[in-house]
Amino acid sequence: MSNSVSQPKWHQPTIPADAPVLRMNNSMTHSKTEFVPVNGKLVNWYICGPTVYDKSHMGHARNYITFDIIRRIMEDHFNYDVNYVMNITDIDDKIIITARSNYLFNQQKAAAKTLTQESISTIEKALSDFVEGKLGKYLPSGKSDSFEGLVKIFEAGKGPSFNDEPKFAMWMRAAIASSNAIAEAKLALAAKRASKEASDKLFDEAKDVLSPALDKALKHTVTDHHVFRDFARYWENDYFKDMDALNVRRPDILTRVSEYVPEIVSFVEQIIKNGYAYESEGSVYFDTHRFDKDPSHFYAKLEPWSASNMKLLQEGEGDLTSGLSKKNGADFALWKASKEGEPAWDSPWGQGRPGWHIECSAMAGDVIGDKMDIHSGGEDLAFPHHDNELAQSEAHFNCKQWVNYFLHSGHLHAEGQKMSKSLKNFDSIDDTLKKYTPAQIRIMFLLHSWDSVLDYKQTSMQEARAFEASINNFLINVKSTVQEYRAKPEELTGNHNFHAAEKELYALFQQKQAVVHAALCDNFDTSSAMSALRDTISAANTYMKSKPQSVNTDVLLKIAKYVTKMMRTFGVYMDENPEIGVSAVRGGGASGSVEEVAGPYVRLIASFRDRVRELSRRKDADVASELLKLCDRIRDEELVDLNVALDDREDGKALVKFIDRETILRQREEKREAAARAALEKEAKKSEMAAAEAAKLAKGATPPSELFKDAESRKLYSAWDDKGIPTKKVDGEEVSKGSAKKLVKLYEAQTKLHEKYLAAQKQQ
């Protein structure tokens, strides 16, 4: 190359000043802050996992689907390398109490071989204690014998409000169920129906009242660690079964408290060494006063206004912790001395178990270290749990900021109340999945802000269901249209197909892509992103309807692939999904042989050919009618079994659609139900017509000569001609010409009707 020739100056493109950058609602500032990871594209993220002691409910789905969506956006849209760490809390006051009381309840129930007065008396005493302990202050006269009066108050919709006592309704339902069970058991015993079944029914219906009584009396007898370990593992497996069903990605690293006790002990020892914790009567407490006085630290960073809220602080300590040996009311347990009937591990301070807050700090600290990009959980965990995590971790590592970004998901409310295990006002995930698909549940969350309260109601799910249908219908139509075009011989006309309509659609698509990206940058605003996708789909549908025979399949493919990609990014579609839409194949795939993939379809064609050939040989057949029946059978039954739908179009050519099995079977069932309704309506109309015809024929039983000679007619007429047509009125006056014409018409109509009647009689 000659040195005298050089390239012209290249002008460096500049990034627009208003280009969107990722910002998230950071509870560390309670504002949207720009996201800057500690180490390039690597994002270390810790999420508080479940406390496993009962079925997972839709409140849990709200939390874990929410952060699964955000995780997927960060991994699949922003291309961060996310290290997603989650814990399982399998040591906790709630787990201990529930596992122990369940164990004691099941023992007592199994031991009762028949219904006895002793069992009834035991449950009566438990109910009396329950009413006095939980509901005593609400009783009309302050005595347990006035429980019936309280029931009347409750059934009238009165009593303390949800805000005054959230558990009042739950306690009342438990007490009423137990009271009714006792009354029924007494009647059964008096009638000598004292079977094992009757005994089990009493125990089951009184469980919520009897279990706490048994735990209070017999908790010291439970010494086997397996009672707690097996109970927690059962509910952990149940939790992951639900999460898998909801298409929630599993964590990259899973930690269990029961497997991290040595690390937790070491973590606590370091906090004591650094001067921020103290031992008292075998327990270890975090010294919030000492920590907060240190100029390098600050207690309750997330919610400083809650730092003196003793109710929240006590809830954070758990039901089995008295805290009588603490220096300060706000101090919290790092290590709890175990009592009788509780699991215990060795430590420098004696037999005990980890406190609730310390587990996350120790496990996250062990896996991630002294600096974390993101920590997340439900908004109810902000104080005291997350604030205590921050304090003890910063005390352990002697750092000023252990977490850079704290994300808190909004609650899910049912009828305006927070959904909660402890309140027993929840819909389990398992039950919800019997009514709605995982995709519909996720879409409901995508259509709302992740960090605000969401009211879970039927209208929200109806909106999600409609949105799912619009997406899937669009993608099926595009896929089918593209496949149809590709199946045709290519025609090179010398003309392109990117005209005004295509340019308009493509420009809108690109603009909506930018809207989606900007929305996701703006605190993961999936609601606005979904709205932009809906606008894109609507525009593409309008375009397809305007040019049914000459669409630009490249443009449609681009849009469909993008919509599918975003649905996969949001977790609406499975990770292994195809380029467009939902896979219509279950258990098969491209890896199958030609025979495996094509075999069912080829056999169907061969079967259809055989039936057509057979039909052509039948001399008595209405070939056209029978062929149409064969075609309908293939469309409505046999192709449906292969996940194929045929849409008949105005030009007489069917559009071939591959649809996932669940959807196509549901569509077939709906079509069958509609056909059944139509058949019933047709039969009803036929019956009505037959009844009307029968009534009409019944009128024909009267000969025309007798039509005007019945009792009513004789009040009007006094003379008739030889056919029986009236000629004079009852007063002797001649019938007018106009009236005579009408009478003749009636006579002629009756003549015809009578002839039909006589013919029908002969046929019978």
Side-chain angles (χ1 to χ4, degrees), residues 459-518:
T459 52
S460 301
M461 291 308 306
Q462 287 171 344
E463 182 185 12
R465 182 177 277 167
F467 202 112
E468 180 194 39
S470 69
I471 295 170
N472 289 342
N473 288 339
F474 165 69
L475 295 176
I476 288 169
N477 285 335
V478 171
K479 184 190 288 188
S480 303
T481 301
V482 170
Q483 288 172 343
E484 184 180 52
Y485 269 74
R486 286 176 174 174
K488 294 178 182 177
E490 186 176 6
E491 294 182 12
L492 299 177
T493 64
N495 299 314
H496 67 77
N497 191 17
F498 196 74
H499 303 292
E502 287 74 25
K503 290 177 182 177
E504 181 181 350
L505 176 61
Y506 206 74
L508 179 136
F509 165 58
Q510 291 179 318
Q511 183 243 329
K512 294 301 179 182
Q513 279 184 301
V515 171
V516 169
H517 178 69

Side-chain angles (χ1 to χ4, degrees), residues 98 101-106 109 123 126 130 174 177-178 181 200-214 231 235 424:
T98 310
S101 60
N102 274 4
Y103 174 76
L104 293 168
F105 172 84
N106 290 332
K109 177 183 171 183
I123 294 173
F130 183 89
S178 298
D200 287 350
K201 190 172 189 291
L202 170 64
F203 274 86
D204 289 340
E205 293 182 2
K207 182 177 181 179
D208 289 343
V209 163
L210 180 59
S211 292
L214 292 174
F231 177 83
W235 288 114
K424 297 189 177 181

Side-chain angles (χ1 to χ4, degrees), residues 549-598:
Q549 301 301 321
S550 58
V551 295
N552 187 314
T553 54
D554 293 334
V555 173
L556 291 176
L557 262 177
K558 180 75 173 178
I559 295 172
K561 286 179 180 179
Y562 176 74
V563 171
T564 301
K565 173 178 174 289
M566 294 313 302
M567 290 301 101
R568 193 183 301 116
T569 296
F570 292 153
V572 174
Y573 293 162
M574 304 295 284
D575 289 339
E576 64 272 17
N577 229 52
E579 274 192 320
I580 302 177
V582 182
S583 176
V585 180
R586 293 283 183 257
S591 60
S593 66
V594 172
E595 291 85 353
E596 289 173 327
V597 174

Side-chain angles (χ1 to χ4, degrees), residues 412-424:
L412 187 71
H413 281 194
E415 303 301 328
Q417 299 174 1
K418 177 196 168 189
M419 200 174 279
S420 166
K421 281 183 188 175
S422 60
L423 297 177
K424 297 189 177 181

